[in-house]
Amino acid sequence: MDFSDQISRLARANQLGAELSAEMQSWGASDPYGAEAWIAEDRLSWELRLQVSRPPSLAEWGFRFGEAVNHLRATLDNLIVAIARQSSVADDKQLNALFFPICGSSKEWKSRQKSLSCLPEWCRNTLEQVQPFHRLDHGGTLEHDLLLLLRDLDNKTKHHFQVKPDLAPQSVEHTPAIQFESEEGAAASMPPDTEVIIAPFEDGAVLLRHRTKGRIESVQGQYSVTAQVQVLTTDGRAFGATHLLAALWEYTRIVMEHVIGEAGKAEDTSVA
């Protein structure tokens, strides 16, 4: 059987992911954001505020992410259609009803059997082997199953045209040197009363707030702020966009190679 078109589509999805990663890295390397300490008017607290000089292209990145996800899903769907065509299925109605099933339960799998009935038995058996619901048979969970994530993200991008990622601060490190107006104020402000804030990635967002009991004269020190482009799943979980896309691509490749390998075995058996 010839699966060159499907292999090319998988390679295209990988290329899209690489281009997206390169764009994000280029943005990060341009020193697009920083942070600055702001002392309150009453001088009894100070804040570390985010300064964004070059906003990230989140809408464009979301579109690119969705395009790569759609390519991965389509690669699996086209793989099944190719197997059907090369197994002498010619009825357009049957071919149009075919897609790669991704099922979270045995009940859902059984409901797909009618549309898969035109496929050879070896293919139906192979598809069942890779179904997510089998994780439950071995004490696993479906929460992080990559095929289910691929299915859900693909449905989301089809209905909403693009994933809307978020850029979230991942860590804030600061070693401040606070100069108080008096030694009494410095002593009264121990231990430090510091609050780390989960803030949106936008100019002026407060990342850290430090309250004192003595008046502050000045704040100096070193800081480090790291951020990650995240994609939200339909159930609200957040994943790093490039890490998730790489994992989805790798798992799609594994599933695809398994199916192609079984196709080769079936072909060898029929020839023999």
Side-chain angles (χ1 to χ4, degrees):
M1 290 186 174
D2 180 16
F3 299 109
S4 56
D5 288 346
Q6 289 69 42
I7 293 172
S8 295
R9 184 180 285 273
L10 184 64
R12 174 55 180 160
N14 190 41
Q15 180 183 354
L16 288 169
E19 291 172 356
L20 175 61
S21 180
E23 287 183 17
M24 291 180 179
Q25 290 177 9
S26 177
W27 174 81
S30 68
D31 197 24
Y33 63 89
E36 185 175 353
W38 289 69
I39 300 174
E41 289 187 9
D42 62 7
R43 310 197 77 79
L44 293 176
S45 67
W46 67 273
E47 297 174 342
L48 187 67
R49 297 185 181 179
L50 188 65
Q51 293 184 313
V52 181
S53 58
R54 184 187 168 199
S57 304
L58 291 178
E60 175 62 23
W61 292 349
F63 181 83
R64 293 287 192 89
F65 180 92
E67 186 179 7
V69 165
N70 295 156
H71 266 75
L72 290 175
R73 183 66 169 107
T75 296
L76 294 178
D77 291 341
N78 289 345
L79 176 64
I80 300 308
V81 174
I83 291 172
R85 289 185 184 279
Q86 294 178 60
S87 300
S88 301
V89 178
D91 183 82
D92 287 339
K93 187 175 181 179
Q94 288 181 312
L95 291 172
N96 291 335
L98 278 177
F99 61 91
F100 191 103
I102 300 176
C103 304
S105 69
S106 57
K107 181 179 179 180
E108 186 180 0
W109 167 253
K110 290 176 182 177
S111 72
R112 302 285 186 235
Q113 296 311 297
K114 184 177 180 180
S115 62
L116 300 176
S117 61
C118 63
L119 294 171
E121 183 179 4
W122 71 261
C123 184
R124 297 197 303 273
N125 292 338
T126 301
L127 291 176
E128 183 176 5
Q129 291 170 4
V130 300
Q131 291 307 305
F133 69 84
H134 282 305
R135 286 180 178 270
L136 302 176
D137 299 334
H138 303 285
T141 67
L142 298 178
E143 185 179 9
H144 293 95
D145 185 88
L146 290 170
L147 280 181
L148 287 177
L149 279 174
L150 177 63
R151 182 192 70 181
D152 293 345
L153 285 169
D154 177 66
N155 289 337
K156 183 176 181 180
T157 55
K158 283 178 181 175
H159 295 155
H160 299 280
F161 299 103
Q162 65 179 35
V163 174
K164 294 184 179 179
D166 183 25
L167 189 63
Q170 292 296 291
S171 66
V172 178
E173 296 180 5
H174 193 270
T175 53
I178 305 173
Q179 183 69 40
F180 289 90
E181 291 183 355
S182 67
E183 293 185 5
E184 293 78 9
S189 299
M190 295 299 293
D193 180 8
T194 303
E195 176 188 8
V196 176
I197 300 170
I198 305 299
F201 198 92
E202 57 187 31
D203 192 53
V206 177
L207 303 176
L208 181 149
R209 183 177 292 115
H210 186 154
R211 303 176 184 84
T212 65
K213 300 210 176 134
R215 285 173 56 84
I216 301 168
E217 183 176 312
S218 64
V219 177
Q220 296 179 336
Q222 300 295 319
Y223 68 85
S224 174
V225 179
T226 60
Q228 182 185 56
V229 180
Q230 297 181 333
V231 171
L232 295 178
T233 60
T234 53
D235 57 3
R237 287 176 293 152
F239 293 87
T242 54
H243 293 153
L244 177 58
L245 196 55
L248 290 171
W249 182 86
E250 177 63 16
Y251 198 62
T252 300
R253 182 191 65 78
I254 291 172
V255 170
M256 181 175 166
E257 287 186 352
H258 176 65
V259 176
I260 290 176
E262 293 301 307
K265 293 178 184 178
E267 193 170 33
D268 290 342
T269 301
S270 64
V271 171

